[in-house]
Amino acid sequence: MPRLPVPSDSDAFSEGTRGAVRHILDTRGGNVPAPSGLMTYAEKAGALLSDLVEHLRYHTSLTNAETELAICISARASNSDYIWNAHTRLGLQAGTREEALHAVDTHGPLDGLTTDESLIVRFGRELLEQPAVSDDTFNAVRARYGERGLMELVAIMSVYTMNANILPVVNFQAAPEARHLTR
């Protein structure tokens, strides 16, 4: 059971929270995703988080499949079943290959992945699970995606790590029937 409900535009919440919820409803097609919605307790921060997530998901130089793979890498590194479940489904719809998702989920080898998949997974593992990104990986990502794509990968993985940190604070869990990470 979540410790806090996802806020709504009702008198049960502060005007600042309600304003942030209204902003998210207006800009996200009537949907208030849990992490951004929960962040509306911090009022404007929830609206800003939602705007950043929306921008990073839909308005970067990365393909939708690359973006969803990056989000799944963040979900795996953060052990977030909730984000994993949502974004493996969205990733498959966007063209992310099951082989790449399996390698991410199981911390498996990168053999059999495309060059781009392997590069994104390697970068994400180093960024989120190692003390530093190696020069070789940095240079390879920069050569393939340019400075813009490099920073977009950092941003998308980082914002979803933040989202993943919001969820356990309020004990927001994936449904039992969700696609869960391999433990």
Side-chain angles (χ1 to χ4, degrees), residues 10-162:
S10 76
D11 291 338
F13 301 97
S14 73
E15 184 51 41
T17 292
R18 293 173 67 197
V21 168
R22 285 190 298 272
H23 174 81
I24 294 170
L25 288 169
D26 289 346
T27 58
R28 297 289 292 267
N31 180 31
V32 181
S36 297
L38 289 162
M39 187 55 77
T40 63
Y41 281 104
E43 300 184 350
K44 188 173 181 179
L48 292 170
L49 175 60
S50 180
D51 288 347
L52 180 59
V53 167
E54 194 273 337
H55 175 79
L56 292 171
R57 283 197 58 215
Y58 302 113
H59 306 286
T60 69
S61 63
L62 305 170
T63 68
N64 291 340
E66 291 166 337
T67 296
E68 293 299 333
L69 179 59
I71 293 168
C72 289
I73 294 163
S74 177
R76 169 73 274 179
S78 302
N79 292 313
S80 179
D81 284 328
Y82 182 85
I83 293 171
W84 178 257
N85 176 61
H87 288 278
T88 54
R89 181 179 45 78
L90 293 169
L92 290 167
Q93 292 171 0
T96 306
R97 295 183 327 125
E98 183 64 49
E99 295 86 348
L101 295 171
H102 179 75
V104 170
D105 182 28
T106 62
H107 298 282
L110 305 181
D111 305 348
L113 301 187
T114 68
T115 303
D116 288 345
E117 290 169 341
S118 178
L119 183 58
I120 292 170
V121 173
R122 189 174 81 212
F123 179 72
R125 287 177 178 175
E126 290 181 22
L127 175 67
L128 301 172
E129 299 172 8
Q130 301 297 318
V133 173
S134 70
D135 288 341
D136 287 345
T137 300
F138 172 88
N139 290 331
V141 170
R142 184 178 183 197
R144 169 61 183 93
Y145 294 101
E147 288 87 3
R148 177 182 175 186
L150 170 75
M151 289 299 133
E152 289 169 343
L153 281 170
V154 171
I156 195 76
M157 290 179 189
S158 297
V159 79
Y160 273 88
T161 298
M162 181 176 149

